[in-house]
Amino acid sequence: AQRVTQPEKLLSVFKGAPVELKCNYSYSGSPELFWYVQYSRQRLQLLLRHISRESIKGFTADLNKGETSFHLKKPFAQEEDSAMYYCALSGSGNTGKLIFGQGTTLQVKP
Amino acid sequence: ETGVTQSPTHLIKTRGQQVTLRCSSQSGHNTVSWYQQALGQGPQFIFQYYREEENGRGNFPPRFSGLQFPNYSSELNVNALELDDSALYLCASSLGRRRSSYEQYFGPGTRLTVT
């Protein structure tokens, strides 16, 4: 079964602390993994995707096929990082269907 | 370039009624996907339309149906509404249907409440 698990509903850290949002997936083929973010009163938007191997707003994520994980990391959290973060998976085939995790709220305290 | 828009913003319906939600895709996008997001959950894929044809469907009953028009705008129709259909309905458009090439741009959603 295709599934994305985000084990933490809420992650609370202080400004300047490192952040790691966990994501594990279940998929038998070659998945493509994404992180989406939703800031307060804004729409859901793409943060980064694993094939791009880029850092966006200081966030990075590495696909670990052995551990079936795609954790999102940032070395120094900023208050403006406070948001809801969703990990998503897209399978093979001709559809861009996204399978989302339940989401993790990141709260960065001053 | 305009973003994805959805209407209405909020909607209240009674169990058993029918509802139509609308989505205008981002300029130049030919693919629309619909998602249902229940409170406290991540979005769940309902179906996708590519160039006016259904191109993939999630685990939703046939009373969830859709349309895509020649201008690539889309409708989601839900018949015989049930209380569990209460959710935020999200529309996302993209340049194409393939997973890796095209980013999905989300609309603000329609909040449906079934009483």
Side-chain angles (χ1 to χ4, degrees), chain B residues 2-34:
Chain B
T2 56
V4 179
T5 60
Q6 293 186 242
S7 63
T9 306
H10 296 92
L11 201 52
I12 300 175
K13 289 285 190 179
T14 303
R15 192 170 48 185
Q17 286 188 315
Q18 178 265 342
V19 69
T20 297
L21 310 182
R22 294 179 174 82
C23 170
S24 289
S25 57
Q26 186 157 315
S27 177
H29 287 187
N30 59 17
T31 304
V32 172
S33 302
W34 285 91

Side-chain angles (χ1 to χ4, degrees), chain A residues 9 30-32 34 36 38 43-46 49 51 86 90-103, chain B residues 3-5 35 37 40-43 45 48 55-58 90 97-104 106-108:
Chain A
K9 272 195 168 298
S30 292
E32 185 165 337
F34 304 83
Y36 277 79
Q38 187 166 27
R43 60 188 67 188
L44 198 58
Q45 60 187 284
L46 178 66
R49 65 182 79 189
I51 60 168
Y86 292 97
S90 183
S92 58
N94 286 334
T95 176
K97 166 185 176 180
L98 290 171
I99 299 166
F100 285 87
Q102 288 191 311
Chain B
V4 179
T5 60
Y35 294 84
Q37 186 174 19
Q41 304 292 318
F45 178 76
Q48 181 185 80
N55 180 59
R57 188 179 182 92
L90 296 170
R97 59 181 175 173
R98 300 232 171 160
R99 63 164 185 171
S100 58
S101 307
Y102 305 115
E103 177 180 344
Q104 294 194 25
F106 282 82

Side-chain angles (χ1 to χ4, degrees), chain B residues 47-62:
Chain B
F47 43 55
Q48 181 185 80
Y49 278 83
Y50 171 69
R51 294 187 175 181
E52 303 178 60
E53 299 281 333
E54 187 179 288
N55 180 59
R57 188 179 182 92
N59 190 26
F60 281 81

Side-chain angles (χ1 to χ4, degrees), chain A residues 26-27 36 54 59-60 67 80 83 85 92 101 108:
Chain A
S26 172
Y27 186 75
Y36 277 79
E54 56 194 344
F59 284 99
T60 58
E67 295 183 358
E80 56 265 30
Y85 291 81
S92 58
V108 181

Side-chain angles (χ1 to χ4, degrees), chain A residues 4 12 14 17 19 23 27-28 37 44 46 48 50 53 58 61 63 69 74 78-79 89 91 98 100-101 103 110:
Chain A
V4 174
S12 186
F14 285 101
V19 170
C23 172
Y27 186 75
S28 57
V37 62
L44 198 58
L46 178 66
L48 54 78
H50 90 267
R53 295 181 172 274
L63 179 61
S69 68
K74 184 169 183 177
Q78 303 299 314
E79 288 181 68
L89 171 158
L98 290 171
F100 285 87

Side-chain angles (χ1 to χ4, degrees), chain B residues 44-91:
Chain B
Q44 271 197 290
F45 178 76
I46 303 175
F47 43 55
Q48 181 185 80
Y49 278 83
Y50 171 69
R51 294 187 175 181
E52 303 178 60
E53 299 281 333
E54 187 179 288
N55 180 59
R57 188 179 182 92
N59 190 26
F60 281 81
R63 58 189 186 84
F64 285 77
S65 63
L67 277 176
Q68 188 179 31
F69 300 100
N71 67 353
Y72 301 132
S73 66
S74 177
E75 284 183 355
L76 164 66
N77 299 290
V78 187
N79 293 323
L81 284 166
E82 299 177 1
L83 296 179
D84 284 349
D85 295 334
S86 295
L88 181 68
Y89 288 85
L90 296 170
C91 165

